[in-house]
Amino acid sequence: MWRTLPLRVTISCFLILGSFRVLAVPKDKEPAPRFSAKATSGETFSNASVKGKVVLLEFWTTWCGYCKAEAAVVEKISHEYTDKDLIVLAVNVGESKKTVKKYLDQYPRTCRIVFTEDTNLAAMYAATAYPIYVVIDREGNIAGTQRGAGGEDALRSLIAKAGLGTDPDSDSN
């Protein structure tokens, strides 16, 4: 009996900790967690400052091949929806500013870049595999999340959940 007790305790601990992790990751249609972020441009963002706009959070790293492949899609969508009140925050996770700046010199981006130390977003969305996309709607609720690369159609579909149409020219919002 005593030999199985440590195994039971271990399993119980994993189950309890696992349930906290599930509870910690925000779900669709729930209010987005309170956040603050500072882009490399110096702009600051928070729940209050983005109210009334749609926000696309992209969690990425320089070593992620999928992130690199999808960066052009994120840039394209960012440009197309600028006048439709879409804010794109590309949050680099866990890398030094020097590493990211060197990468961006080689692979420039025009969307707003945020470093891990300039935000609390990566922890809130359990950003541990990349890319991760989160869309926050105009009311401040999580409209959808996507873990992993999915291509342009998947990203447009995710944004559509927040009320932005798949064709930026015909969007009525």
Side-chain angles (χ1 to χ4, degrees):
M1 178 172 168
W2 290 106
R3 287 184 163 177
T4 60
L5 182 60
L7 180 60
R8 287 182 191 163
V9 170
T10 302
I11 291 171
S12 296
C13 288
F14 279 118
L15 291 173
I16 290 169
L17 291 174
S19 66
F20 283 126
R21 179 178 161 91
V22 169
L23 294 174
V25 178
K27 305 286 186 254
D28 294 357
K29 303 301 178 192
E30 289 183 3
R34 292 180 53 130
F35 76 93
S36 62
K38 182 178 178 185
T40 56
S41 62
E43 294 172 279
T44 57
F45 299 91
S46 67
N47 300 69
S49 72
V50 300
K51 191 87 170 182
K53 299 180 186 306
V54 173
V55 180
L56 171 62
L57 303 173
E58 173 198 17
F59 296 95
W60 67 284
T61 65
T62 61
W63 50 262
C64 169
Y66 295 110
C67 300
K68 184 178 175 183
E70 291 209 341
V73 172
V74 174
E75 290 291 319
K76 178 180 177 183
I77 289 172
S78 176
H79 289 290
E80 287 178 13
Y81 287 96
T82 297
D83 63 340
K84 301 294 182 186
D85 291 331
L86 175 68
I87 297 172
V88 176
L89 298 178
V91 181
N92 176 271
V93 181
E95 297 181 288
S96 71
K97 288 183 178 183
K98 181 179 178 181
T99 297
V100 177
K101 286 178 181 180
K102 185 177 177 181
Y103 177 86
L104 292 172
D105 285 343
Q106 198 171 13
Y107 306 101
R109 297 190 67 180
T110 58
C111 65
R112 294 165 176 105
I113 304 294
V114 177
F115 294 114
T116 301
E117 62 260 23
D118 294 331
T119 188
N120 56 353
L121 285 165
M124 289 180 175
Y125 291 98
T128 56
Y130 311 101
I132 298 172
Y133 301 101
V134 177
V135 175
I136 302 170
D137 67 19
R138 296 175 192 275
E139 290 76 43
N141 297 314
I142 298 169
T145 59
Q146 176 182 312
R147 291 185 176 274
E152 185 172 347
D153 290 342
L155 198 50
R156 287 183 184 282
S157 178
L158 186 65
I159 292 169
K161 289 182 177 182
L164 290 180
T166 56
D167 179 3
D169 296 327
S170 66
D171 186 32
S172 60
N173 288 327

